[in-house]
Amino acid sequence: MKTFIGFWAIYLLLFVIGLPLLIYYVSDEDMRYAPMPSAATAFFYLGLGLLLWTMVFIFFCRYFLINVFRARQRILNIITHGDPFLVKVLSKTIKASRPGYEVLSLQISFTNLRQTPVSIPYEVNDTKPDEKRFEPGQTLRMRAMPDTKNPVLILESAQVSLNKGVLLTAIIGLLLILTFAIGYLLFAYEQESMGTGWRFLRFWHPWIIIPLSALFFGGIIALVLKGINRMAGTSKELMKLVFYGKRTMGTILHYAETGVYINEQPRIKFEVQFTDERGQLHNASFQKVISLLELHQLSKGAKEVLYLPDNPKEFIFYEDLSAE
């Protein structure tokens, strides 16, 4: 995964930075060095470039630095002020052993705020494996803020620290952005101004096109990821069902492919009927991604569901809570 991300990161850098530089500097010199007729226009492009680079700097700082500190503070707030939950460990699997800790995959169960027993997978880094704190049958104290935007369960004993490697990489990235923005502007001024001040700046100059491209493609990537999360189902919606859902037996009336594929796996629409705690019958539908290897296992008939009493149209199959 790291190799995959690294490859596409380098590819995007070459596309966003290398391509505008290549196109500009292999273009006709008369077009590049002909001064702009208006000093006001040149200052406009200078201001536009400063604005675009500032937006890139803020965008990078927000997503790779500020959000890291916000996430840390959010976890600390949950540990300090969150609602307490007693959680039982049903099973434990060691996913990886690393220097100083083990990565554990747990299956845990607890009674939610609707007095419904639920079981979900939970991953934890065990820094003290010799103490055997996460053996099956053990009871853990956890906290959560179910009414927040993205509710999560956090161990009361969790130790929250920042990843120094990620933090250092983000700081270096910010310094590189700042150095390139200032350094390239000074370089271009020295090489291209020819005594005409900032009149060498044009809309297609790399100093303007590079930050504009970075914002454009960064926005596209953000929208694509947001769309994928919506189509695949977000953890926010799932955790809302975990904390407030009620279990009941339902019936699959019909299912069919939607024609949408995520990671080459088909998205299936299910028509389900179930009765809520008030005795009201509901006919509702939802969509989920099914592995190609599991398509032949689909069938109509009884299936346990987990639904929100305040909004029964929002539900999932209970077995999906245990899916990792």
Side-chain angles (χ1 to χ4, degrees), residues 53-283:
W53 279 109
T54 301
M55 291 174 65
V56 169
F57 189 85
I58 292 174
F59 180 88
F60 189 95
C61 189
R62 176 185 175 186
Y63 282 94
F64 295 99
L65 268 182
I66 295 177
N67 281 355
V68 172
F69 288 98
R70 283 180 176 174
R72 178 179 180 273
Q73 187 58 46
R74 175 170 169 256
I75 293 174
L76 290 175
N77 286 338
I78 292 173
I79 294 174
T80 305
H81 306 292
D83 298 332
F85 289 86
L86 287 178
V87 175
K88 185 177 181 180
V89 179
L90 301 179
S91 64
K92 180 189 82 170
T93 302
I94 300 176
K95 292 185 65 175
S97 294
R98 295 172 183 166
Y101 68 97
E102 291 180 343
V103 181
L104 305 180
S105 177
L106 308 177
Q107 189 69 26
I108 61 176
S109 67
F110 64 97
T111 300
N112 70 10
L113 298 175
R114 292 285 185 172
Q115 301 305 307
T116 298
V118 292
S119 173
I120 61 172
Y122 191 84
E123 187 171 296
V124 62
N125 294 332
D126 186 7
T127 57
K128 301 176 181 178
D130 294 338
E131 296 184 6
K132 300 186 181 300
R133 297 174 295 168
F134 303 104
E135 297 301 307
Q138 295 273 35
T139 298
L140 308 176
R141 292 183 176 274
M142 306 185 79
R143 288 185 177 268
M145 291 182 173
D147 294 328
T148 55
K149 185 177 180 180
N150 294 300
V152 292
L153 276 169
I154 303 293
L155 285 164
E156 281 189 359
S157 59
Q159 297 178 350
V160 186
S161 60
L162 296 173
N163 188 318
K164 294 181 180 179
V166 172
L167 199 60
L168 180 61
T169 302
I171 292 173
I172 292 174
L174 284 173
L175 292 176
L176 288 175
I177 291 173
L178 187 61
T179 301
F180 181 83
I182 297 174
Y184 178 60
L185 179 62
L186 295 177
F187 170 81
Y189 183 87
E190 179 69 23
Q191 297 294 318
E192 302 176 41
S193 65
M194 296 183 177
T196 62
W198 300 108
R199 295 190 179 194
F200 67 92
L201 288 174
R202 299 163 178 80
F203 181 76
W204 59 84
H205 194 280
W207 194 70
I208 295 175
I209 292 298
I210 288 173
L212 185 62
S213 299
L215 292 171
F216 176 76
F217 288 107
I220 289 179
I221 292 172
L223 289 175
V224 169
L225 292 176
K226 186 176 181 180
I228 291 175
N229 286 336
R230 283 184 176 179
M231 294 177 68
T234 64
S235 59
K236 172 187 173 182
E237 296 167 344
L238 180 62
M239 292 307 294
K240 188 176 181 181
L241 284 162
V242 167
F243 286 116
Y244 294 103
K246 294 283 290 186
R247 292 165 62 176
T248 188
M249 288 303 299
T251 303
I252 298 177
L253 303 177
H254 178 72
Y255 61 88
E257 292 192 33
T258 62
V260 176
Y261 287 78
I262 298 178
N263 293 330
E264 299 183 355
Q265 307 296 328
R267 188 174 177 84
I268 307 297
K269 181 178 180 180
F270 293 88
E271 301 287 343
V272 181
Q273 185 180 79
F274 62 90
T275 303
D276 66 16
E277 61 182 351
R278 301 182 183 90
Q280 296 180 344
L281 187 66
H282 297 276
N283 288 290

